[in-house]
Amino acid sequence: MSENNSVNGTATTVVAESPFLKSLVFQIRGQDNYGVYRNWSDELILKPFVVTKQKKREISVEGEVDPVTQARIMAFFRAIAAGIEKETGLISQVVIDLSHEGFGWALVFSGRLLLAVKTLRDAHRFGFDSLEKLAEEGDKFVQKGIDLAKRFPEVGKL
Amino acid sequence: MSENNSVNGTATTVVAESPFLKSLVFQIRGQDNYGVYRNWSDELILKPFVVTKQKKREISVEGEVDPVTQARIMAFFRAIAAGIEKETGLISQVVIDLSHEGFGWALVFSGRLLLAVKTLRDAHRFGFDSLEKLAEEGDKFVQKGIDLAKRFPEVGKL
């Protein structure tokens, strides 16, 4: 992590304290085949996940969802899958089904059990108010997935 | 059903004897907003689902999957969902996630339970050897879904 790319001191703490955010950064770095992010701080990598209400209004929901946004949605749910796997050992699949209008589903499943389900609307505007909010939302999905996996172990292993 | 569009006598019997094929025809007629199929026999409507091995080889897997083929895949899994609903009362969602290369997933789920899961490969060539084979495959998915729904009723209703 190079200091000069740090967004600010608070953000660094947020990432350091959130296993979910660390896992999300790990997902993105893992896909970084050309080393674009090599010298970027974790905070800078996560910055595009923060989309304020004001900014959301500025993003058009016309046409296809930008591939970069699609990749961001995928990374979010892959990080959820990784968080659940860490706790339960269940290896899961992530399926993102987006229509051309930005409506659709994000699903994380293992065996016959759906560990995370989210309907997507205006996926063009996918993002969170702050890094804290991102961490909180991600953790919520992970926790719910872990609970389900523990409640229905048989279904998750089918 | 108009007699002059009948493919042949045997096919008529196949559809009449298969609740799955009837359900599939029902799905397609239900989407027929412009009445294109109004005067078509059930067999003629199902004909594109029959793709022989020879014909499969002739279909290129380059580029996007044809929207008509995508609609056919959707109808197949919607008919499965309808078959499961009829027996269990569970209303399910169908999600088809296809990459541009024809790879992907078809999922039918209710609550947190996956009633049908299929990985798709070369979806451009989606089809079955015969109407009998189509009926058999569909029934297999429906039966498996009903079994799961009965085994894990709690998960299907989450």
Side-chain angles (χ1 to χ4, degrees), chain A residues 11-93:
Chain A
T12 313
T13 328
V14 177
V15 179
E17 282 175 0
S18 162
F20 179 76
L21 294 186
K22 274 190 267 184
S23 162
L24 184 52
V25 169
F26 186 81
Q27 288 300 321
I28 298 164
R29 292 201 190 271
Q31 300 285 322
D32 184 25
N33 300 321
Y34 301 106
V36 177
Y37 301 135
R38 208 170 35 207
N39 296 320
W40 290 30
S41 71
D42 291 349
E43 294 68 42
L44 198 63
I45 286 178
L46 293 182
K47 220 181 157 186
F49 283 89
V50 177
V51 184
T52 59
K53 283 216 176 69
Q54 168 66 27
K55 217 165 134 191
K56 278 188 185 176
R57 268 192 299 266
E58 288 164 13
I59 300 172
S60 162
V61 291
E62 298 281 314
E64 291 263 358
V65 181
D66 179 11
V68 180
T69 307
Q70 288 194 35
R72 211 175 294 137
I73 298 174
M74 194 54 159
F76 179 71
F77 286 95
R78 272 196 210 278
I80 290 166
I84 298 170
E85 188 192 336
K86 210 174 157 188
E87 190 73 20
T88 64
L90 290 179
I91 306 216
S92 45
Q93 290 289 341

Side-chain angles (χ1 to χ4, degrees), chain A residues 93-98 105 107-117 144 148 151-152 154-155 158, chain B residues 93-98 100 105 107-117 144 148 151-152 154-155 158:
Chain A
Q93 290 289 341
V94 179
V95 168
I96 310 283
D97 168 44
L98 273 184
W105 293 91
L107 305 170
V108 179
F109 64 95
S110 169
R112 293 295 189 135
L113 187 61
L114 278 163
L115 299 161
V117 174
K144 172 90 182 167
L148 284 165
R151 244 175 97 192
F152 307 108
E154 210 189 334
V155 188
L158 271 180
Chain B
Q93 290 289 341
V94 179
V95 167
I96 311 283
D97 169 44
L98 272 184
H100 299 290
W105 292 91
L107 306 170
V108 179
F109 64 95
S110 169
R112 293 296 188 136
L113 188 61
L114 278 164
L115 298 161
V117 175
K144 172 89 182 168
L148 283 165
R151 243 175 98 192
F152 307 108
E154 210 189 333
V155 189
L158 271 180

Side-chain angles (χ1 to χ4, degrees), chain B residues 16-86:
Chain B
E17 282 175 0
S18 161
F20 178 76
L21 294 185
K22 273 190 268 183
S23 162
L24 185 52
V25 169
F26 186 81
Q27 288 300 321
I28 298 165
R29 291 200 190 274
Q31 300 285 322
D32 183 26
N33 299 322
Y34 300 107
V36 176
Y37 302 135
R38 208 170 35 209
N39 296 321
W40 290 30
S41 70
D42 292 348
E43 294 68 41
L44 199 62
I45 286 178
L46 293 183
K47 219 181 157 186
F49 283 89
V50 177
V51 184
T52 58
K53 283 216 176 71
Q54 167 66 26
K55 218 166 134 193
K56 277 188 185 177
R57 269 192 297 267
E58 288 165 14
I59 301 171
S60 161
V61 291
E62 298 281 313
E64 291 265 356
V65 181
D66 178 11
V68 180
T69 307
Q70 288 194 34
R72 211 174 293 136
I73 298 173
M74 194 53 158
F76 178 71
F77 286 95
R78 271 196 210 279
I80 290 166
I84 298 170
E85 187 192 336
K86 209 173 158 189

